[in-house]
Amino acid sequence: MESSAPRYTLRVIHEFPHDPKAYTQGLVYVGGELYEGTGLRGSSSLREVELETGEVLRRRMLPENLFGEGITVLGNRIYQLTWKTGRGFVYDRNTFERVGEFTYPTEGWGITHDGVNLIMSDGSSTLYVRDPETFSEIDRIEVHDGGAPIARLNELEYVDGTIYANVWLSHWIAQISPETGEVVGWIDEAGSLCPRDPKQPDRVLNGIAYDAQSERLFVTCKLWPKLYEIEIPQEQ
């Protein structure tokens, strides 16, 4: 990859069990609890998962015609996107009861927040900043590395003032400045965590969660039996 941004090689610290049937679209760790959003029509869900065992503690299924996408937790609310229907849902974090619904004019891919506003991806090089109450668009972030736009931005996580984004169908995680949209670093998974399989082309890196309290970073892959705690020790 041609880039002036530093590149980092991740290192696995711990491995945890993960449901190999989970088509992971969103991953969040907050307050000692791990939440996961899964996709595929007929299998899409919102889950609370026990990190140490991979056991699904709670599950709320989406309607069978919807393809679930990214999730984020802001305060006592969980936000979940869907792919091509322009519909998103808001849940009470404690009960998993649906307490709201919102719409958007693009596809829904990944979603995170900066502590105040939601930040959403749609598979392009644009990130959308939205109000968490009205879901109206506040701003846009055009993501680029040098002068080149970076598309296929998927699952998002906000980590200490930087947006992390899986680049779909690649082994790269982009570190993005929310102020400028510039890619300030690249994290290379190098295909070591979830090796590509021609029989399962969708089995790719997708899922980033940050434990802000303990400063732990987790990643996983779609349809993969492991979830990893990683560190980013060095520039290549």
Side-chain angles (χ1 to χ4, degrees):
M1 177 184 294
E2 294 293 331
S3 173
S4 60
R7 301 183 185 187
Y8 305 94
T9 302
L10 63 79
R11 185 170 75 88
V12 174
I13 302 173
H14 296 296
E15 295 183 357
F16 301 95
H18 181 247
D19 180 2
K21 295 181 180 180
Y23 194 85
T24 306
Q25 302 286 64
L27 200 66
V28 176
Y29 190 96
V30 59
E33 298 172 339
L34 179 67
Y35 301 95
E36 184 171 20
T38 69
L40 299 178
R41 291 181 179 87
S43 302
S44 294
S45 67
L46 170 66
R47 304 173 173 194
E48 181 185 351
V49 180
E50 186 172 65
L51 174 65
E52 290 76 13
T53 66
E55 178 186 356
V56 178
L57 303 176
R58 288 189 291 172
R59 185 192 331 247
R60 183 184 178 105
M61 301 300 297
L62 271 67
E64 290 193 356
N65 64 317
L66 297 181
F67 196 117
E69 286 283 346
I71 64 168
T72 195
V73 178
L74 180 56
N76 197 40
R77 291 183 171 185
I78 303 174
Y79 296 80
Q80 184 172 32
L81 302 177
T82 60
W83 183 21
K84 290 188 174 182
T85 51
R87 296 174 64 191
F89 302 105
V90 186
Y91 307 92
D92 182 283
R93 178 180 162 192
N94 295 318
T95 65
F96 271 28
E97 291 299 314
R98 188 186 298 174
V99 295
E101 184 172 335
F102 54 90
T103 61
Y104 41 91
T106 64
E107 292 186 1
W109 285 44
I111 188 168
T112 188
H113 67 84
D114 60 8
V116 178
N117 295 313
L118 303 173
I119 303 170
M120 172 183 164
S121 67
D122 67 350
S124 70
S125 60
T126 301
L127 300 179
Y128 302 86
V129 182
R130 298 187 180 278
D131 182 282
E133 296 296 331
T134 67
F135 218 70
S136 59
E137 184 179 316
I138 297 171
D139 198 4
R140 294 187 181 189
I141 303 168
E142 301 297 336
V143 179
H144 58 280
D145 186 349
I150 303 299
R152 302 200 311 272
L153 300 173
N154 199 2
E155 223 278 277
L156 305 176
E157 184 75 359
Y158 195 85
V159 181
D160 289 338
T162 300
I163 301 167
Y164 284 40
N166 281 127
V167 180
W168 185 54
L169 296 180
S170 83
H171 52 79
W172 295 99
I173 297 172
Q175 298 174 307
I176 302 162
S177 165
E179 290 79 24
T180 67
E182 181 75 28
V183 175
V184 296
W186 289 101
I187 302 170
D188 187 5
E189 176 261 339
S192 61
L193 302 189
C194 47
R196 299 298 298 274
D197 182 349
K199 296 180 181 179
Q200 289 184 295
D202 284 348
R203 195 185 70 187
V204 295
L205 188 70
N206 201 54
I208 312 170
Y210 182 58
D211 174 6
Q213 184 174 359
S214 300
E215 298 183 336
R216 296 186 296 172
L217 190 62
F218 304 101
V219 298
T220 192
C221 315
K222 299 174 187 286
L223 306 172
W224 193 242
K226 296 178 181 179
L227 182 147
Y228 306 94
E229 180 185 347
I230 64 168
E231 67 174 6
I232 309 162
Q234 63 186 22
E235 183 177 345
Q236 290 183 351

